[in-house]
Each structure stands twice: as C-alpha cells, then as structure tokens.
Amino acid sequence: MFASSVAGSSRWFSFVNESWRIATLWLAGVLLFMSFRVFFLVYFHDRITTPIDLNVILNTLETGFAFDSAASGVCFSIPFLLNCILQPMRLGHWVRMVRNFTGKLFFVVAILLCITSITYIAEYGSQFNYFMFEGLHDDQQAIALTVIEQYRPWGSFLGLLALLVVAFKLCERVDKQSNSFLQRIFTDCKWKRTLLISIIVVLFICAIRGSFESRPASRKWSAVTPDPFINNLVINPFRSFFYAIKDYNDLQSHGVNGENPYLSHNSGLDALPLNALSKHTTAPLLAAPSQVFVIVMESYDSWPLQQKYAALNLTNQLKNLASKGIYLDNVLPAASSTMNSLSSIVSGIPYAGVNMSLIGPQNPSSKLSLFNQFEQLGYTSQFFYGGLLSWQNVGEYVLSQGVDKVYSAIDAGGKGSAGVWGIDDGQLFDLVAEKTTKKSFNVILSGSYHGPFNLDLDKYNYPYKSVADYPAEINKLAGELLDPYVLGHLWYADKMLGEFVAKMEQRYPDALFVITGDHYSRRNFHQRPNLYELTHVPMVIYGKGVSADLVPAQQVASHMDIAPTLLDLIAPANTQFYSMGQSLFNAAPDRRVFGFQTIRHNEQLWRGDLSALYEYYRVNERDKTQLLPATPSQFVEIDAQTEQAYTQYMATAWQLLTQGMD
C-alpha cells in the first residue's frame, strides 16, 4: 500500500505511466494502418499482376509496419515531448489533456483517410498522390455527386462512424486505465530510473523513425516486392496523403515565382531556349481543308481498339475511320487528367505537374498555342465543351490561348442526361455542327464516358444488358469484368463520334479530323491490364487525301505531336512554328516520347515517380492480340540518358508555363 502511494506521487512514475498510455495509442494507430493494408491486399487482390508468395507478403507487412510506426509515432510525439517536459514540473494534467486531444484528432484523420482511400484506389488504382489536389480546381459539387451516384459510399460512411466510435472509446479507456501493474517496476534507484527513461526515449525515437536501422522509413525504400500495386500499399494512406501534399507543392513550387523543380537537383541541366523549339514545315501534303476538327474524347484509351477485344464491337466507328486514315496506338497522353491533357494540346506546353488552367490565364498566350498558329493560316478558332466553362477554369484558359469563340452546354440549352457534368456527346456534336463556320479550326472536348453513368442506352440499341451477353471468348477472362452498362457509355460516345464525322464529311468533303483520347479511362475491361493498357491513347488522322502509309503504324507519339503534324500536313512550305513535339511525317522511328511521369522508347515503357519509384513494361505486340496477359517482362531501369532527356523536357515545360520564354 505504501509503495502504491509513493508511486502515485512520484513524478518519475507519472512519466512512465503516461508514456505507457501514449505507447498504447501508438500501437492502436499501427494496428489500424496494418489492418487496412491487409484489407486492401484482400479487397483489391485482382489488381496484383505478379505471382506472390509468403515472403512477398511478409516483406510488405514488415516494411509497412515501419511506415505505420513512423506515422503514428510522429503524431504522438507532441504529448510524449510534453510528458518529458511537464511531468517533472508536476503539470501532468496538461499532458493528459494534450494526449486525449491528439489521440482523438489522430484517429479521426487516420480513419477518414483510410476509408477514403478505398474509393480512391478503386478509381485511380493507387493511394493518394498529387493528382488528388487537382480536384480543388474542379467542379467540386459535380465530383461529390459523381462519387455518391457512382460508388454509393453509404457502407464506407457507416464503417467510418463505427471505427470512430471504437477509437474514441479506446481513447477514453486508455485515459481511465490505472495501469497498476506498472507499480511493480517502481524503484528509488536512480540508475534504474535513468536506464528505464533512456529505454523509453530510445524506443520513442525508433518509433518515429520507423526503424532501428541507420535509415528511417522512406518512400524510396518502399518498393520491396516485384508487384507495383503491392508496393503502392506499403505506404499507408496517412503517409501517402502527406507525400501527395509534398509532391504537389514541389511541382507547383509555390506558384510562378518558384524555382524550377526539375532543375533544383540537376545543376548540369537547363531548360531549352525558345529558339530551340522553332521549326519549319516542309511542303504540304494536303490542300488546306475548309474545316479542321481536333476531337479529344473523354477517357477514350487504347485498349478497346485492340484486336483481342474486337468481338465486343465497342469502337467500330473509330476503327472504321482508322482503317481509312492514319491510326497510331503507341501514343502517350500528356497527362492522366482531362484538363491537363487538353491544356497541353491547345497550348503546346506539356503538362509538368502544375495546374495549367489556373496559371495559363495569368501569362501572355503561349507562342506554341495551337489556336494562334492555325489562326495565322487564316482559320477562325473555336472551342466546344459539353459542360460549363467554369469547370477547371476551361473557358478563361482557352481564351488566354487565343481561341476566337467558345461554346459550352449553355449554348445547347443546358444539361442533358449526363446530369452533373453537362450535355451528352450527341448534343455536343449537334452544337458543333450548328456553329461550324467557313474555314474554322475546332477543338472539341467530349464528356459522355465519364461517371456518373446514367444514359438511357436502350434507345440507342446497345447490345449488352449483362456480362453474360458478352461474346463467349470474352467471357473466358477470369475475374470480374467491367459492367456492361458502364461500357455502354464508351460505345455511345463512339457512335456519336461516327455520326458526327459522317455528317461533317458530307457537308465538307475536304474536312480534316484528328481524334484522340484525353487519358486512359481508369476503367479497364478486366482487373489485370498491362502497363501499356494503363498509359496509352489512340490517335487517328482522317480526311481526304490522308493515307495510312504516311506514318508507320508502330510509330511512337504523344499528344504534343498533334500540332506539328497538322501544320506539316497543311501549312505552306517553310512556315515557322514552335513546338515541343515532332511532326510524325519525319519523326525518328526510335525516338523517345514523354508524358507526365511516363516515358516510351521503342518497346520500353516506364511510368511513375521517375526519381524514386516506377513501373516498367516491355510493349509486346502479342499482348494486343492475345486475350490472356503474357508473363510480366523483367524490370529494366531507366538509363541515365533517357532520364536526363525527360528531366530537361519537363524543366522546359515548367519554364514555358510559369515564366514564359522570349
């Protein structure tokens, strides 16, 4: 009894007792993150593309534990440090208050991020990254309604509430626990007290670092398995959220006055000067057409056009156009988001991680602008979008790049069945047909293949009601297949595209069309797409006098090649223009092409944070024809020359957007 009362009044014992409470909450945080990691591995198991064994799982959990320990440890460092400072001053009640507040705040944030990460992974195939902050500039109401209608997150909401109740009760129980068993270690011996305090402090430091080793838990050491999706789960949602903030801030460099992020660690490199981007056309291959249409299709990626999916008949309209013109399927989009890809195409400046639609209008029109360069050829430039011009500031952005006329859903009478995002593609193309003027250059951004998916497909005679309606050879694919109703929106978008091209071709027989996707769709037909299917978009150039033999079918290309190719096709000889792309009529067969965090060189394909973690895939033409995926290719690191070329390319793009070039 005496020992108990002495222990209760001892500042040393109060420190140990409070340290135990903090350690209990730290452990609960670690178990929370670890539980979600295991859940992700099970729930998203069909996204794992390489064979795994027990060692892979153990490596994942072991390395994940380091990140979990660090995330939880950093959050509880404040009450622990106060415990070290205030307990000797007999101010333990302040430590208790801070610990209670920190514990509840930590669990609210951690559980919210973990629950939200389920939907984020389902849509984007990864945990949080810089891209999530692009939503700050998007139509947030439309995004919220899309999430509600497409994912119906009521189960996640109930799970969030249940976990919060458990977490709060745990905090209360830890606070009220007497921890009387700790009285057994009570001692008056100063060296024993010092030893125990030293052990507690060392364990605390190791918990924050996530490691007993010389190097702490760090993103660059997280790729411990051969599967990129599993590697992405090594870092917990809490830590990945803060990495996303860091990456976003690094890319933005705190606005247009910051240091070029691509040159800060590459002192030997410089952004290319503007005169290095100057080019001249050769002799035109076509007489200047009366109408030019650049059509950017929402989420229209390469996989539906592959031979192995031909039986689905999803994109017959574009296939028909491709068979009569130039068709390329080795094309990298400028970005993985609609606005940034569109911005890159119209401005001629590749996306380098900075939100182009906000910074662009602050600067003079880009000298690489597609609109300006076609206006010099005598065309009236027009932009058509099926949503509202306030979305991603798209109206102001295209005007800043020199477009003459801008049309949106408002000009077609408002909303269609697409609901929150605007009018349907059929209505959009009707608007384009109505507003097309003599000798116009038109950029069109479609939108129907975008959630929430709510078109009435029956009135268009869409053939698939259920997965069972898919062709027999398609149903041989193992695992869950993409919902036919969702897929029907791609079919509808393709149908409307075909009807529009036929109408315009009849009205303007010399019309020229360039059709591409804004980015890959993030909705793949089956759950194990290869990296090629996750990165490429098609490009079709169609019109009178355009033939397939003008460009090799296997030529690699990017969105940035659209402008120089069009200009080389129709502009008078020796017309000067500026471009970071190349005309496909004289591009080298073995050239490197770049998208944001994506590189293609011959058959070699890399994607990811190229300074730390990335995936590799060797593009195999057989994969485009055989339904079942081939064995994954052996990993190949990016060679120094290719990485340097990518860095300079992005540094130049960043400089063009934020600083401009004279």
Side-chain angles (χ1 to χ4, degrees), residues 502-517:
K503 180 188 296 184
M504 290 296 98
E505 190 177 21
Q506 185 176 18
R507 186 184 302 176
Y508 307 103
D510 66 340
L512 179 64
F513 302 86
V514 178
I515 304 159
T516 188

PDB file of all heavy atoms in Angstrom, residues 502-517:
ATOM      1  N   ALA A 502     -19.372  11.593 -90.094  1.00  0.00           N
ATOM      2  CA  ALA A 502     -20.098  11.346 -91.353  1.00  0.00           C
ATOM      3  C   ALA A 502     -20.871  12.589 -91.789  1.00  0.00           C
ATOM      4  O   ALA A 502     -20.896  12.940 -92.984  1.00  0.00           O
ATOM      5  CB  ALA A 502     -21.038  10.160 -91.181  1.00  0.00           C
ATOM      6  N   LYS A 503     -21.502  13.270 -90.834  1.00  0.00           N
ATOM      7  CA  LYS A 503     -22.277  14.476 -91.156  1.00  0.00           C
ATOM      8  C   LYS A 503     -21.365  15.585 -91.665  1.00  0.00           C
ATOM      9  O   LYS A 503     -21.659  16.253 -92.671  1.00  0.00           O
ATOM     10  CB  LYS A 503     -23.038  14.941 -89.914  1.00  0.00           C
ATOM     11  CG  LYS A 503     -23.873  16.194 -90.144  1.00  0.00           C
ATOM     12  CD  LYS A 503     -24.457  16.720 -88.849  1.00  0.00           C
ATOM     13  CE  LYS A 503     -25.440  15.745 -88.237  1.00  0.00           C
ATOM     14  NZ  LYS A 503     -26.085  16.321 -87.023  1.00  0.00           N
ATOM     15  N   MET A 504     -20.233  15.801 -90.968  1.00  0.00           N
ATOM     16  CA  MET A 504     -19.317  16.867 -91.367  1.00  0.00           C
ATOM     17  C   MET A 504     -18.639  16.547 -92.693  1.00  0.00           C
ATOM     18  O   MET A 504     -18.390  17.441 -93.514  1.00  0.00           O
ATOM     19  CB  MET A 504     -18.271  17.092 -90.272  1.00  0.00           C
ATOM     20  CG  MET A 504     -18.808  17.710 -89.002  1.00  0.00           C
ATOM     21  SD  MET A 504     -19.468  19.396 -89.243  1.00  0.00           S
ATOM     22  CE  MET A 504     -21.225  19.064 -89.380  1.00  0.00           C
ATOM     23  N   GLU A 505     -18.334  15.284 -92.907  1.00  0.00           N
ATOM     24  CA  GLU A 505     -17.685  14.886 -94.157  1.00  0.00           C
ATOM     25  C   GLU A 505     -18.616  15.100 -95.348  1.00  0.00           C
ATOM     26  O   GLU A 505     -18.169  15.477 -96.437  1.00  0.00           O
ATOM     27  CB  GLU A 505     -17.245  13.423 -94.066  1.00  0.00           C
ATOM     28  CG  GLU A 505     -16.353  12.973 -95.202  1.00  0.00           C
ATOM     29  CD  GLU A 505     -15.883  11.552 -95.020  1.00  0.00           C
ATOM     30  OE1 GLU A 505     -16.549  10.790 -94.263  1.00  0.00           O
ATOM     31  OE2 GLU A 505     -14.870  11.182 -95.625  1.00  0.00           O
ATOM     32  N   GLN A 506     -19.891  14.857 -95.120  1.00  0.00           N
ATOM     33  CA  GLN A 506     -20.865  15.082 -96.200  1.00  0.00           C
ATOM     34  C   GLN A 506     -20.998  16.570 -96.500  1.00  0.00           C
ATOM     35  O   GLN A 506     -21.105  16.980 -97.659  1.00  0.00           O
ATOM     36  CB  GLN A 506     -22.216  14.490 -95.802  1.00  0.00           C
ATOM     37  CG  GLN A 506     -23.263  14.574 -96.907  1.00  0.00           C
ATOM     38  CD  GLN A 506     -24.565  13.887 -96.502  1.00  0.00           C
ATOM     39  OE1 GLN A 506     -24.814  13.644 -95.327  1.00  0.00           O
ATOM     40  NE2 GLN A 506     -25.395  13.585 -97.479  1.00  0.00           N
ATOM     41  N   ARG A 507     -20.972  17.371 -95.441  1.00  0.00           N
ATOM     42  CA  ARG A 507     -21.117  18.814 -95.625  1.00  0.00           C
ATOM     43  C   ARG A 507     -19.822  19.443 -96.144  1.00  0.00           C
ATOM     44  O   ARG A 507     -19.850  20.362 -96.965  1.00  0.00           O
ATOM     45  CB  ARG A 507     -21.516  19.457 -94.296  1.00  0.00           C
ATOM     46  CG  ARG A 507     -21.830  20.941 -94.395  1.00  0.00           C
ATOM     47  CD  ARG A 507     -22.131  21.555 -93.039  1.00  0.00           C
ATOM     48  NE  ARG A 507     -23.249  20.909 -92.360  1.00  0.00           N
ATOM     49  CZ  ARG A 507     -23.655  21.226 -91.132  1.00  0.00           C
ATOM     50  NH1 ARG A 507     -23.000  22.179 -90.454  1.00  0.00           N
ATOM     51  NH2 ARG A 507     -24.667  20.617 -90.580  1.00  0.00           N
ATOM     52  N   TYR A 508     -18.688  18.966 -95.621  1.00  0.00           N
ATOM     53  CA  TYR A 508     -17.378  19.497 -96.016  1.00  0.00           C
ATOM     54  C   TYR A 508     -16.494  18.329 -96.440  1.00  0.00           C
ATOM     55  O   TYR A 508     -15.778  17.747 -95.621  1.00  0.00           O
ATOM     56  CB  TYR A 508     -16.715  20.240 -94.848  1.00  0.00           C
ATOM     57  CG  TYR A 508     -17.569  21.313 -94.217  1.00  0.00           C
ATOM     58  CD1 TYR A 508     -18.211  21.089 -92.988  1.00  0.00           C
ATOM     59  CD2 TYR A 508     -17.737  22.544 -94.834  1.00  0.00           C
ATOM     60  CE1 TYR A 508     -18.987  22.080 -92.405  1.00  0.00           C
ATOM     61  CE2 TYR A 508     -18.511  23.540 -94.262  1.00  0.00           C
ATOM     62  CZ  TYR A 508     -19.139  23.295 -93.042  1.00  0.00           C
ATOM     63  OH  TYR A 508     -19.908  24.278 -92.474  1.00  0.00           O
ATOM     64  N   PRO A 509     -16.525  17.939 -97.691  1.00  0.00           N
ATOM     65  CA  PRO A 509     -15.794  16.747 -98.150  1.00  0.00           C
ATOM     66  C   PRO A 509     -14.295  16.817 -97.903  1.00  0.00           C
ATOM     67  O   PRO A 509     -13.635  15.776 -97.817  1.00  0.00           O
ATOM     68  CB  PRO A 509     -16.099  16.712 -99.653  1.00  0.00           C
ATOM     69  CG  PRO A 509     -17.390  17.463 -99.800  1.00  0.00           C
ATOM     70  CD  PRO A 509     -17.333  18.545 -98.769  1.00  0.00           C
ATOM     71  N   ASP A 510     -13.742  18.020 -97.771  1.00  0.00           N
ATOM     72  CA  ASP A 510     -12.294  18.130 -97.540  1.00  0.00           C
ATOM     73  C   ASP A 510     -11.939  18.282 -96.063  1.00  0.00           C
ATOM     74  O   ASP A 510     -10.787  18.576 -95.724  1.00  0.00           O
ATOM     75  CB  ASP A 510     -11.739  19.315 -98.329  1.00  0.00           C
ATOM     76  CG  ASP A 510     -12.282  20.657 -97.820  1.00  0.00           C
ATOM     77  OD1 ASP A 510     -13.337  20.649 -97.140  1.00  0.00           O
ATOM     78  OD2 ASP A 510     -11.653  21.686 -98.108  1.00  0.00           O
ATOM     79  N   ALA A 511     -12.900  18.098 -95.166  1.00  0.00           N
ATOM     80  CA  ALA A 511     -12.661  18.274 -93.733  1.00  0.00           C
ATOM     81  C   ALA A 511     -11.575  17.320 -93.238  1.00  0.00           C
ATOM     82  O   ALA A 511     -11.447  16.189 -93.708  1.00  0.00           O
ATOM     83  CB  ALA A 511     -13.945  18.058 -92.947  1.00  0.00           C
ATOM     84  N   LEU A 512     -10.806  17.798 -92.277  1.00  0.00           N
ATOM     85  CA  LEU A 512      -9.714  17.019 -91.690  1.00  0.00           C
ATOM     86  C   LEU A 512     -10.013  16.789 -90.213  1.00  0.00           C
ATOM     87  O   LEU A 512     -10.403  17.723 -89.498  1.00  0.00           O
ATOM     88  CB  LEU A 512      -8.390  17.770 -91.849  1.00  0.00           C
ATOM     89  CG  LEU A 512      -7.139  17.114 -91.265  1.00  0.00           C
ATOM     90  CD1 LEU A 512      -6.839  15.795 -91.974  1.00  0.00           C
ATOM     91  CD2 LEU A 512      -5.945  18.067 -91.382  1.00  0.00           C
ATOM     92  N   PHE A 513      -9.828  15.537 -89.747  1.00  0.00           N
ATOM     93  CA  PHE A 513     -10.155  15.173 -88.372  1.00  0.00           C
ATOM     94  C   PHE A 513      -8.928  14.574 -87.683  1.00  0.00           C
ATOM     95  O   PHE A 513      -8.240  13.733 -88.267  1.00  0.00           O
ATOM     96  CB  PHE A 513     -11.286  14.137 -88.334  1.00  0.00           C
ATOM     97  CG  PHE A 513     -12.559  14.588 -88.999  1.00  0.00           C
ATOM     98  CD1 PHE A 513     -12.745  14.427 -90.373  1.00  0.00           C
ATOM     99  CD2 PHE A 513     -13.572  15.172 -88.265  1.00  0.00           C
ATOM    100  CE1 PHE A 513     -13.902  14.836 -90.987  1.00  0.00           C
ATOM    101  CE2 PHE A 513     -14.749  15.589 -88.876  1.00  0.00           C
ATOM    102  CZ  PHE A 513     -14.914  15.422 -90.249  1.00  0.00           C
ATOM    103  N   VAL A 514      -8.687  15.022 -86.455  1.00  0.00           N
ATOM    104  CA  VAL A 514      -7.718  14.360 -85.579  1.00  0.00           C
ATOM    105  C   VAL A 514      -8.476  13.956 -84.329  1.00  0.00           C
ATOM    106  O   VAL A 514      -9.124  14.791 -83.677  1.00  0.00           O
ATOM    107  CB  VAL A 514      -6.545  15.291 -85.210  1.00  0.00           C
ATOM    108  CG1 VAL A 514      -5.595  14.567 -84.246  1.00  0.00           C
ATOM    109  CG2 VAL A 514      -5.792  15.729 -86.444  1.00  0.00           C
ATOM    110  N   ILE A 515      -8.429  12.677 -84.012  1.00  0.00           N
ATOM    111  CA  ILE A 515      -9.206  12.152 -82.878  1.00  0.00           C
ATOM    112  C   ILE A 515      -8.255  11.451 -81.921  1.00  0.00           C
ATOM    113  O   ILE A 515      -7.439  10.608 -82.329  1.00  0.00           O
ATOM    114  CB  ILE A 515     -10.279  11.166 -83.362  1.00  0.00           C
ATOM    115  CG1 ILE A 515     -11.177  11.840 -84.408  1.00  0.00           C
ATOM    116  CG2 ILE A 515     -11.122  10.658 -82.187  1.00  0.00           C
ATOM    117  CD1 ILE A 515     -11.911  10.872 -85.298  1.00  0.00           C
ATOM    118  N   THR A 516      -8.351  11.788 -80.647  1.00  0.00           N
ATOM    119  CA  THR A 516      -7.523  11.144 -79.626  1.00  0.00           C
ATOM    120  C   THR A 516      -8.300  11.077 -78.319  1.00  0.00           C
ATOM    121  O   THR A 516      -9.397  11.640 -78.202  1.00  0.00           O
ATOM    122  CB  THR A 516      -6.199  11.917 -79.428  1.00  0.00           C
ATOM    123  OG1 THR A 516      -5.325  11.168 -78.574  1.00  0.00           O
ATOM    124  CG2 THR A 516      -6.439  13.279 -78.788  1.00  0.00           C
ATOM    125  N   GLY A 517      -7.752  10.367 -77.340  1.00  0.00           N
ATOM    126  CA  GLY A 517      -8.339  10.325 -76.003  1.00  0.00           C
ATOM    127  C   GLY A 517      -7.615  11.297 -75.098  1.00  0.00           C
ATOM    128  O   GLY A 517      -6.436  11.599 -75.303  1.00  0.00           O
TER     129      GLY A 517
END
